[in-house]
Amino acid sequence: CKDASITEAPRPFHEPKLEDLGKKPYTPPKQVLLWPSTPVLGPWIVPHKDQVAVFTGDGSKWSYHDGTKWSAPQPGAKIGGLLTVTVLGGDHFFLCRGGGYHNLGTEMLNDLVVADRRDGKWHVETLDKEKKIASAIITASGDAVYCFYVKKAGDEKEPVYEVRYRRFNGGTWEPSVKLATEERRVNHLAAPQICPPSYAAIFWDQHFRSRADPSEVKFVRVPNRNKQ
């Protein structure tokens, strides 16, 4: 907080020392400046035109800021799961549903589901219906969108995990491309919400089985073919 009794600008933050907090009596500022804030309907924030938009955790609603105030909730695409969001051209939204693990580490595999908002309407597509998707994340690069995902393959006793992507360009999703095959379970995917125009970047790490068994973090840069 900032002490409102201090008149010079910029006001410094009030930063009491730890040893002062234990002394009695400790006197905090009589008046403090509250940072302005407004509750929003969801945790996922994405650029929208010259401002920003937010989405609920399942994609069912979204709202945008016009520079002065937040809009009323708008209908979204309820695809659920561990949602990620990106945007093309300032107003073409894309959502992706990922998989994950519950607290005990058991896999929660899903279909690969994406949605995008074109001409004011939401379009939902299931890109993979085998319920083998362990994780997914979506990112934009130039005029294309990349949906990276991990697909569990092989037999149940000795599974492998394929790191793949689908590319959206020209209004359609292109066929799946395999980037890597991991014998160990992939723990997490990470990507910028918006990548540079010339490439899309994806990071992943291996499942950490114990402190004595270190994992690896890997990275691939996928060229955006329309932006050489």
Side-chain angles (χ1 to χ4, degrees):
C1 64
K2 292 190 175 185
D3 189 342
S5 66
I6 299 175
T7 58
E8 68 266 18
R11 294 181 174 93
F13 282 96
H14 175 66
E15 299 180 11
K17 296 180 180 179
L18 185 61
E19 57 268 23
D20 292 338
L21 296 176
K23 296 177 182 178
K24 294 183 179 180
Y26 168 68
T27 305
K30 294 181 179 180
Q31 294 177 302
V32 296
L33 296 177
L34 299 178
W35 288 81
S37 62
T38 302
V40 295
L41 60 78
W44 300 112
I45 190 167
V46 65
H48 175 246
K49 299 181 179 179
D50 293 329
Q51 299 296 330
V52 294
V54 292
F55 283 80
T56 56
D58 62 359
S60 61
K61 296 179 182 179
W62 68 285
S63 177
Y64 62 89
H65 200 276
D66 63 6
T68 302
K69 64 184 184 302
W70 288 98
S71 72
Q74 309 291 310
K78 187 176 181 180
I79 61 176
L82 300 176
L83 192 74
T84 57
V85 185
T86 192
V87 64
L88 280 182
D91 61 357
H92 188 174
F93 296 123
F94 287 79
L95 312 180
C96 173
R97 184 179 76 185
Y101 311 100
H102 67 39
N103 291 338
L104 298 179
T106 301
E107 295 171 324
M108 298 184 294
L109 303 178
N110 278 319
D111 295 335
L112 182 62
V113 180
V114 295
D116 72 291
R117 185 175 184 271
R118 285 171 271 164
D119 302 322
K121 296 181 180 180
W122 285 99
H123 304 264
V124 179
E125 296 183 62
T126 302
L127 302 181
D128 191 305
K129 300 180 180 180
E130 297 182 22
K131 294 190 181 300
K132 295 289 186 179
I133 307 305
S135 185
I137 193 169
I138 202 161
T139 182
S141 170
D143 55 2
V145 167
Y146 290 77
C147 178
F148 293 99
Y149 62 98
V150 176
K151 184 172 183 177
K152 189 175 182 179
D155 58 55
E156 197 61 34
K157 292 184 178 180
E158 295 184 359
V160 294
Y161 295 84
E162 298 174 347
V163 181
R164 294 177 165 270
Y165 73 88
R166 298 282 298 265
R167 179 175 181 264
F168 182 92
N169 185 251
T172 60
W173 288 96
E174 297 172 356
S176 177
V177 176
K178 184 167 68 173
L179 293 174
T181 300
E182 296 284 354
E183 294 182 357
R184 288 177 59 177
R185 190 170 79 184
V186 174
N187 179 53
H188 189 69
L189 291 177
Q193 189 176 68
I194 299 175
C195 290
S198 58
Y199 66 88
I202 182 66
F203 300 78
W204 69 91
D205 65 338
Q206 298 170 330
H207 180 62
F208 187 81
R209 293 181 287 201
S210 73
R211 293 182 179 179
D213 184 23
S215 63
E216 296 180 348
V217 176
K218 299 185 179 182
F219 160 71
V220 172
R221 191 170 75 172
V222 180
N224 186 359
R225 295 187 297 274
N226 290 355
K227 294 288 184 180
Q228 297 294 334

